[in-house]
Amino acid sequence: MKIDLALIGGTGLYAFPGLEEPRRHEVTTRWGAPSAPVVTGMLKDRRVAFLARHGEGHTLTPHRINYRANIAALYELGARRVIGVNAVGGIRADMAPRAIVLPDQLIDYTSGRVSSFCDAEGEAVLHIDFSEPYSANLRAELLAAAQRARIAVIAGGCYGATQGPRLETNAEIERMRRDGCHLVGMTGMPEAALARELGIEYACLALVANWAAGCDPHAAQISMEEIHAHLAAATAQVPPIIAALLET
Ligand code: HPA
């Protein structure tokens, strides 16, 4: 099957709105089952695939997601371009709640996650070039699509991937800021690296749900209600961006 584009939905995005002729695929891979059935369907006369990263009922915490199975399932169905939609906390002053960011760099702070396809018996040892972790092509297409859809997207930024599921301490975020991180999330890695191992073009669309710990200029505590409201507002902007991307 030729799939023009696949989306991995994060917190707040569990199905793709407007998908025509949806078909559910219960895929099992050599690496196990993905988080949910992959749903394929048509959008703007193009075939797309959707996968809910945390499961359709949000039952998987970031460190329990089988990232290998997710990426392998999309690959096996024919996806060669994948956009990961990720909820994040904003560190940089212009990355306030509801901002949408297309990061161009990442730093991996996760630990203990299975992070490569290369650790199985008989697999070739790959040392992928990961100096630019996201596809420049796909990022440029997403940026142009957002402009056509008149949706503000911040181009560039460094995504720091933490282990979670807890949020960070103020000191951890302060260290991440010193390291050069602009955003913090729990699911950006190893997803991006696994996609690169399979030669998939991968980009991250980061939706800012809250100020990262200690970054709120009004010093408010992070509340779950607020996070969900901000995330819902940012998530509503994703379908028009994707529609504009597919129209080209
Ligand atoms: N930290 C880590 N991951 C997140 C955050 C955060 O503040 N917000 C949404 N995902």
Side-chain angles (χ1 to χ4, degrees):
M1 184 179 344
K2 174 155 177 356
I3 290 175
D4 284 306
L5 184 69
L7 285 142
I8 303 179
T11 303
L13 186 62
Y14 305 105
F16 202 82
L19 206 61
E20 290 161 16
E21 305 165 37
R23 259 186 66 195
R24 289 164 72 82
H25 304 260
E26 303 267 356
V27 195
T28 329
T29 73
R30 166 173 180 210
W31 314 100
S35 301
V38 178
V39 181
T40 58
M42 303 302 289
L43 208 63
K44 302 278 168 194
D45 293 327
R46 313 272 288 272
R47 188 173 302 283
V48 301
F50 180 84
L51 174 60
R53 186 188 285 116
H54 296 274
E56 285 168 324
H58 199 125
T59 47
L60 292 167
T61 53
H63 64 289
R64 292 192 53 235
I65 291 166
N66 188 340
Y67 294 93
R68 283 199 301 197
N70 286 357
I71 291 293
L74 294 175
Y75 185 87
E76 283 168 23
L77 279 170
R80 297 294 178 270
R81 297 203 302 167
V82 174
I83 295 170
V85 181
N86 300 77
V88 294
I91 299 174
R92 204 169 85 185
D94 61 334
M95 296 183 181
R98 303 192 181 204
I100 303 179
V101 186
L102 260 174
D104 60 351
Q105 274 300 324
L106 67 80
I107 299 179
D108 188 5
Y109 299 89
T110 65
S111 57
R113 298 186 184 185
V114 180
S115 57
S116 170
F117 289 109
C118 302
D119 68 353
E121 200 68 27
E123 285 294 311
V125 179
L126 292 178
H127 297 287
I128 50 163
D129 179 350
F130 205 45
S131 47
E132 298 290 339
Y134 302 111
S135 157
N137 272 344
L138 194 49
R139 288 186 63 258
E141 282 185 44
L142 269 166
L143 199 59
Q147 277 161 359
R148 284 196 301 279
R150 298 185 187 282
I151 292 170
V153 166
I154 299 173
C158 180
Y159 176 113
T162 56
Q163 177 70 359
R166 65 166 176 83
L167 297 172
E168 298 71 34
T169 65
N170 290 351
E172 284 168 337
I173 293 295
E174 206 35 59
R175 183 185 72 159
M176 290 177 75
R177 188 201 291 280
R178 285 197 302 274
D179 284 353
C181 293
H182 305 129
L183 299 163
V184 55
M186 301 173 193
T187 50
M189 281 295 282
E191 198 172 274
L194 291 165
R196 178 65 56 84
E197 281 189 353
L198 296 189
I200 291 173
E201 279 192 71
Y202 178 92
C204 164
L205 201 53
L207 311 180
V208 182
N210 56 278
W211 285 113
C215 296
D216 186 339
H218 307 293
Q221 265 213 339
I222 302 173
S223 93
M224 281 321 277
E225 290 73 42
E226 246 180 31
I227 289 185
H228 286 302
H230 292 318
L231 207 46
T235 301
Q237 313 269 50
V238 174
I241 297 176
I242 301 303
L245 179 69
L246 293 172
E247 264 164 7
T248 51

